[in-house]
Amino acid sequence: MFSVVIPLYNKGEEILKTLDTVFKQTVSDYEIIVVDDGSTDDGAAKVEELADARVRLIRKENGGVSTARNAGIKASASDFIAFLDADDEWDPDHLETLLRLKANYPQAGIYATHHVRISESGKVERHLFSGIPPKPWEGILQNYFRSAIRGMNPVWTSACAVQKSVLDAIGLFDEEMRKSQDVQLWNRIASRYPVAFSWSGTAYYRKDAGNRISKNRNALLLSDPEQYLSRMFVDPEAVTTVSPRHAYAYNCKLAVSSAQYALLTLNRPDIARRCLSCVKHPSYFFPQYLEWSILVHIPYGLVKRMRSALRSMRGK
């Protein structure tokens, strides 16, 4: 049996379509726990009107998506928990694929499927994964952190399932974080457990949906980048699945990508420099770290022109 946990906040226009993709699953043994996180629209009312005994609605005061997911986990009746955001969708064989992965790879801590993005124009944007054999492969990822360093993170919240016993050992979503708390949890699990992946059972991230959490990133870096990165960084000493150097490299990539965002999107070289100062072992991701250590000391306008010129040269 599955417990499908869906956090809901002002997704009245999307929630029924999302639930319909669960109802169409080839696996029927599941419960759906929708946790309304203090919505101000009619989303919770639409869920309440459904005549389906498998759907439970929990109402709570607004506290953020992590508090909603954790409330769903605590209320779940199953040890196998799949996550789905209220504006995302699944292929009909998604839960079937997760069950197969669990049966074939019981040692894994996370079970994940392929996932793609739907752009605001409706175009499918496929992720550029690294270190994963081509379709139709499924199995244990050779190195989760190396895959996350070289390409897109192979685990995404609406495309994965975790056993409650693993969450009991690792801990739940960090409720003090307002962004990337899901990635942080997957990193913590991947530090101690193998990660199973399948190209089947695709999940869909709809960028065209309104009120997406990922659209509000600025406050995190502007308020306290050191605290944000300290929570996001992987503890190399706690990693048992791969060499600690891959954890150092992952941390370096995270700091560099945050510095890029702070400089190029927010025009805040001071924040970018603070991000880079959090890196303890830059040699593990040296070329990019060295490049951005220089760029954060160059006037913003000149950096933009330099990068534009480089892109033009590479396109020739």
Side-chain angles (χ1 to χ4, degrees), residues 48-308:
E48 208 164 31
E49 291 172 359
L50 292 172
D52 194 313
R54 294 173 297 182
V55 181
R56 277 197 285 157
L57 176 67
I58 298 174
R59 294 179 182 267
K60 59 181 287 296
E61 293 184 1
N62 181 258
V65 66
S66 287
T67 66
R69 288 179 181 139
N70 288 345
I73 293 168
K74 293 172 184 177
S76 63
S78 171
D79 181 57
F80 202 29
I81 301 171
F83 299 96
L84 178 63
D85 283 353
D87 46 12
D88 294 326
E89 301 169 15
W90 287 341
D91 271 348
D93 63 339
H94 180 73
L95 293 181
E96 179 184 340
T97 299
L98 292 174
L99 273 181
R100 185 174 64 250
L101 286 175
K102 181 174 178 285
N104 292 338
Y105 309 100
Q107 73 274 31
I110 310 174
Y111 302 93
T113 73
H114 176 231
H115 53 279
V116 298
R117 296 180 179 182
I118 308 297
S119 71
E120 295 181 2
S121 64
K123 181 180 179 181
V124 174
E125 299 177 349
R126 299 192 179 277
H127 287 320
L128 298 176
F129 294 113
S130 176
I132 301 177
K135 296 179 181 180
W137 179 87
E138 65 181 33
I140 295 294
L141 295 180
Q142 184 178 14
N143 191 316
Y144 164 89
F145 290 107
R146 186 168 59 196
S147 293
I149 292 165
R150 297 179 178 177
M152 299 296 295
N153 195 309
V155 177
W156 171 56
T157 305
S158 287
C160 74
V162 182
Q163 295 184 81
K164 190 183 286 188
S165 56
V166 171
L167 295 173
D168 289 340
I170 296 296
L172 303 182
F173 292 94
D174 188 334
E175 296 184 359
E176 295 184 13
M177 295 183 67
R178 307 297 288 189
K179 166 70 178 172
S180 302
Q181 58 279 86
D182 50 352
V183 176
Q184 189 227 40
L185 178 56
W186 313 144
N187 290 346
R188 281 191 278 134
I189 296 175
S191 295
R192 291 174 52 183
Y193 296 86
V195 176
F197 179 91
S198 176
W199 286 101
S200 300
T202 301
Y204 299 87
Y205 171 96
R206 300 203 63 94
K207 294 173 66 177
D208 55 344
N211 190 34
R212 291 231 62 132
I213 298 170
S214 59
K215 294 180 179 179
N216 183 23
R217 183 180 179 185
N218 298 21
L220 299 165
L221 290 178
L222 288 171
S223 58
D224 195 339
E226 290 88 355
Q227 183 184 45
Y228 168 68
L229 287 173
S230 69
R231 288 181 177 273
M232 286 298 298
F233 278 170
V234 177
D235 180 5
E237 301 302 320
V239 174
T240 60
T241 53
V242 296
S243 168
R245 69 186 181 90
H246 290 105
Y248 284 122
Y250 179 86
N251 293 345
C252 196
K253 178 190 176 180
L254 182 62
V256 169
S257 64
S258 297
Q260 290 175 329
Y261 182 81
L263 181 63
L264 298 179
T265 303
L266 306 182
N267 189 14
R268 289 293 302 270
D270 58 320
I271 297 294
R273 287 192 289 270
R274 288 169 63 185
C275 290
L276 294 177
S277 69
C278 296
V279 177
K280 294 182 179 180
H281 297 272
S283 60
Y284 287 123
F285 209 65
F286 184 75
Q288 292 85 346
Y289 180 86
L290 177 60
E291 175 187 356
W292 285 95
S293 296
I294 296 171
L295 291 176
V296 295
H297 293 282
I298 297 175
Y300 173 73
L302 180 58
V303 172
K304 297 282 279 189
R305 290 195 295 272
M306 289 170 57
R307 289 181 61 81
S308 178

